[in-house]
Amino acid sequence: MKYSPLQIERYKYQPKLPTILRENIHSIVPEFGDSTEAKSDQRELKSLFPNTYGMPVVSFKKGSSDTTSNQINVGVVLSGGQAPGGHNVIAGIFDALKAANPKSKLYGFLGGPSGILDDDLMELTREVVDSYRNTGGFDIIGSGRTKIESEDQYARCAEVCRSHNIEALVVIGGDDSNTNAAVLAEYFRQTDAGIAVIGAPKTIDGDLKNEHIEVSFGFDTATKTYAELIGNIQRDTNSARKYWHFIKLMGRSASHICLECALQTQPNVALISEEVAEKRQTLAEIVNSIADTIAARSRKGEDYGVVLVPEGLIEFIPEVGSLIAKVNDLLARRSDEFAGIEQNEEKIAWTEAALDGKEQDVFSSLPKEIQAQLLMDRDPHGNVQVSRIETEKLLIQMVEQRLKEMKQEGAFTGTFSHQSHFFGYEGRCAFPSNFDADYCYSLGYNAFLLISSGLTGYISSVTNLSAPAEQWKAGGVPITMMMNLEQRHGEKKPVIKKALVELDGRTFSTFAAARDIWAAETSYIFPGAIQYFGPAEVCDQPTRTLQLESGR
Ligand code: FBP
């Protein structure tokens, strides 16, 4: 294997831990707070999780522990989309586990949660872990989106773990995977399986957060990577002055990525899905507003600019959202019939005929390519795969049409040449920023301490993240306290509440106060590439979102 010079240097990087986690591992003990409550649906959650609901929040402090040195086998699984830093969570678990007892072993389940069901695992030795430290990707053991959700599957997980003497499982995943981790923890407690389950908050989307989880890992690196690319495009368009660039940015539901990138780069337009939903904007209104911005800049001789589009936008436009909900329902109810249709044209005609009312009108008004994309396979959670819907191209097509009309009305006299981009996969496996490298290593190290403290059903929590790493706090939060009940596939299910962009929060307000200026005047910022070596002001700064949310 050949390594790049950066990879060789990154292997040597020693992630920064919070001060408490730098103590001798046998001198770290949990301190328990008051018992916890979920924000809503407390009674139902208590009855669904009789063994793991109401547990206290935990923080680590100095003391003497007699349990950390016990020999133990731990399993780890990566779940869902890649996010920079996953390898360091594993390195953190490994280092803590070996520091506590060199005979303890870490096993990685291969290919995501299906690796547990298929009993497909490998021991993560020092040699393996060392060759992945501070690198991006999940390729150390792979990831997957298989859901573990039935009693049979839970029993199978227990059987497989027992066969390898695995007494604890760390699930590195997003809101759905951590929900599943909580359900599994409850099942293991109920059945006296003797296996603990601890979660770690992952997702570039940044929507797994609350008062105890300030950010999910990967968000920092992914947004900095996209912001670099957006800045480069802004400089290109500012040089050539001939294109409007429409850039779709990942983020399945929430627009945190788009909002953060907008704050880092100051584009001419950045759409925020949550605002579109709140204002009940139609597709036509969004298109008109972009076209007006283009026309206004054109009047100043500036026929160029940048528009950021969040990936999840399409589902948040109320009329398209109801259409997608209807199509989801239709494809679930008449799946056999739909599966028998081969050609896209016929699928579109079948759907058009099966819909009625407003949804039928909206579906019929969309270009053929978008209609076909709306009918593509759902993900294992039954969601439409928004990363495969070319919303940026849809907007370009509709804006072009609107500008033609405006030309006829004399409201636009310029030119509209365009380029489209989608930044998503480019950022998910980047070398983790120093922030993500440090945060992830701390999350993993901390996860082991939750295990050695005999806890289960907790998510690893490292907070005070806008301060330097030595001031970070380490502990754990019961996953059940982050849950509520939501309607899923016609049933009320306990799930971790997704954190969407808060329109009354400081991050959105900061953006909203500046965006009219960015639309009219070219105010681009060029963040440049992530820096790994150099002054802390350049290399260790957290995102604007984290800084604003923590009052800095
Ligand atoms: P997770 O929530 O699993 O972290 O994944 C998030 C994400 O990166 C979304 O931004 C994107 O819509 C989706 O994954 C793409 O999924 P896939 O990798 O299956 O194409």
Side-chain angles (χ1 to χ4, degrees):
M1 175 87 93
K2 267 195 121 170
Y3 301 123
S4 70
L6 180 65
Q7 190 164 344
I8 294 165
E9 282 309 310
R10 285 314 271 173
Y11 282 152
K12 299 181 203 155
Y13 178 74
Q14 183 53 51
K16 301 185 273 298
L17 281 171
T19 302
I20 180 65
L21 300 187
R22 296 176 192 183
E23 294 291 338
N24 179 313
I25 198 149
H26 306 294
S27 311
I28 306 175
V29 290
E31 182 171 54
F32 295 95
D34 295 333
S35 60
T36 56
E37 285 275 24
K39 287 244 156 46
S40 61
D41 308 305
Q42 296 90 350
R43 206 167 37 85
E44 293 89 337
L45 287 168
K46 196 171 181 174
S47 74
L48 286 166
F49 296 91
N51 298 283
T52 50
Y53 183 83
M55 299 184 298
V57 169
V58 167
S59 55
F60 287 111
K61 60 167 194 167
K62 216 171 159 202
S64 150
S65 161
D66 49 7
T67 51
T68 37
S69 54
N70 293 348
Q71 187 180 336
I72 185 172
N73 288 349
V74 174
V76 62
V77 64
L78 290 160
S79 182
Q82 283 69 250
H87 290 158
N88 270 25
V89 181
I90 293 176
I93 305 170
F94 179 87
D95 287 352
L97 167 139
K98 291 287 182 189
N101 185 328
K103 289 197 185 126
S104 293
K105 286 185 179 165
L106 181 63
Y107 290 95
F109 287 101
L110 304 181
S114 62
I116 313 179
L117 303 174
D118 299 341
D119 192 6
D120 194 7
L121 76 174
M122 66 185 274
E123 187 186 340
L124 295 170
T125 58
R126 185 168 299 281
E127 196 190 354
V128 174
V129 173
D130 283 353
S131 60
Y132 286 92
R133 286 177 194 271
N134 306 306
T135 58
F138 278 4
D139 41 331
I140 185 170
I141 48 175
S143 185
R145 292 197 183 274
T146 302
K147 265 189 105 172
I148 296 184
E149 55 186 347
S150 70
E151 287 259 335
D152 287 353
Q153 290 176 319
Y154 305 148
R156 173 72 182 147
C157 289
E159 179 188 68
V160 170
C161 286
R162 266 199 225 103
S163 70
H164 300 283
N165 294 322
I166 289 175
E167 290 173 60
L169 187 62
V170 181
V171 177
I172 304 174
D175 51 342
D176 282 327
S177 310
N178 276 288
T179 296
N180 293 348
V183 176
L184 201 55
E186 175 65 29
Y187 174 86
F188 286 161
R189 264 274 165 88
Q190 242 167 43
T191 53
D192 280 327
I195 306 162
V197 185
I198 299 294
K202 170 235 72 165
T203 177
I204 61 160
D205 293 3
D207 55 9
L208 171 49
K209 65 175 165 185
N210 51 50
E211 55 186 310
H212 297 284
I213 306 294
E214 293 176 4
V215 67
S216 53
F217 79 75
F219 178 74
D220 188 273
T221 311
T223 51
K224 285 173 179 162
T225 306
Y226 304 143
E228 181 211 347
L229 299 175
I230 295 163
N232 294 351
I233 283 179
Q234 289 183 157
R235 200 136 230 174
D236 192 286
T237 202
N238 203 32
S239 309
R241 301 185 168 226
K242 62 176 183 183
Y243 290 127
W244 271 90
H245 292 267
F246 282 59
I247 306 173
K248 183 173 79 164
L249 292 164
M250 251 189 192
R252 226 206 68 75
S253 274
S255 305
H256 298 295
I257 291 180
C258 191
L259 182 55
E260 172 63 27
C261 289
L263 289 169
Q264 286 190 35
T265 60
Q266 304 191 172
N268 304 101
V269 178
L271 302 171
I272 302 298
S273 309
E274 290 82 345
E275 186 184 25
V276 167
E278 167 91 6
K279 293 187 171 163
R280 302 204 60 76
Q281 285 179 308
T282 61
L283 191 50
E285 282 166 350
I286 297 168
V287 167
N288 290 352
S289 146
I290 299 173
D292 288 346
T293 300
I294 292 173
R297 281 179 65 80
S298 181
R299 283 194 285 279
K300 296 197 298 170
E302 295 180 345
D303 283 317
Y304 66 95
V306 168
V307 179
L308 302 187
V309 181
E311 182 186 67
L313 176 73
I314 195 88
E315 272 191 300
F316 279 73
I317 302 170
E319 58 191 358
V320 188
S322 342
L323 165 67
I324 291 173
K326 274 270 161 65
V327 172
N328 284 350
D329 180 56
L330 185 66
L331 299 190
R333 269 190 301 113
R334 296 168 63 182
S335 55
D336 289 347
E337 213 179 309
F338 186 75
I341 312 172
E342 277 183 13
Q343 300 299 325
N344 267 347
E345 288 283 322
E346 288 166 37
K347 285 183 184 173
I348 292 170
W350 180 90
T351 310
E352 213 154 14
L355 290 167
D356 55 16
K358 182 98 178 104
E359 284 78 23
Q360 191 182 49
D361 295 344
V362 175
F363 188 74
S364 308
S365 73
L366 295 171
K368 282 271 169 290
E369 310 83 67
I370 301 290
Q371 290 177 325
Q373 288 160 12
L374 285 175
L375 299 179
M376 284 185 305
D377 292 344
R378 269 45 192 161
D379 73 9
H381 302 276
N383 300 315
V384 65
Q385 298 189 52
V386 280
S387 61
R388 299 172 72 184
I389 299 179
E390 295 174 315
T391 321
E392 70 287 14
K393 293 191 182 157
L394 170 68
L395 289 176
I396 287 177
Q397 216 171 313
M398 294 182 75
V399 165
E400 194 159 38
Q401 183 54 39
R402 174 70 195 136
L403 288 170
K404 272 191 196 139
E405 290 163 15
M406 287 171 76
K407 220 166 211 173
Q408 279 165 8
E409 295 157 9
F412 175 60
T413 50
T415 56
F416 177 59
S417 300
H418 46 78
Q419 298 285 351
S420 64
H421 315 261
F422 169 35
F423 298 152
Y425 300 96
E426 293 82 348
R428 297 200 312 183
C429 287
F431 276 100
S433 60
N434 286 354
F435 174 88
D436 269 328
D438 298 346
Y439 180 43
C440 290
Y441 186 75
S442 303
L443 284 171
Y445 203 94
N446 188 59
F448 174 76
L449 282 160
L450 293 169
I451 293 168
S452 66
S453 304
L455 300 168
T456 188
Y458 278 75
I459 190 164
S460 179
S461 154
V462 175
T463 55
N464 199 28
L465 296 170
S466 58
E470 57 270 22
Q471 293 169 34
W472 292 356
K473 298 192 169 82
V477 187
I479 302 175
T480 49
M481 78 165 288
M482 308 186 326
M483 289 180 153
N484 67 356
L485 293 185
E486 286 176 22
Q487 201 72 21
R488 297 277 167 99
H489 305 299
E491 269 181 80
K492 280 218 154 185
K493 292 258 184 202
V495 290
I496 295 177
K497 203 168 162 34
K498 239 186 217 316
L500 299 179
V501 168
E502 288 177 8
L503 301 180
D504 55 359
R506 286 188 74 206
T507 317
F508 181 78
S509 317
T510 305
F511 158 76
R515 65 177 156 184
D516 288 348
I517 298 172
W518 303 348
E521 291 161 28
T522 302
S523 326
Y524 304 149
I525 295 180
F526 314 110
I530 296 176
Q531 300 296 308
Y532 300 94
F533 304 101
E537 312 84 79
V538 181
C539 302
D540 293 353
Q541 285 305 306
T543 58
R544 293 285 294 130
T545 305
L546 190 60
Q547 292 181 26
L548 287 163
E549 283 176 358
S550 52
R552 281 169 205 257

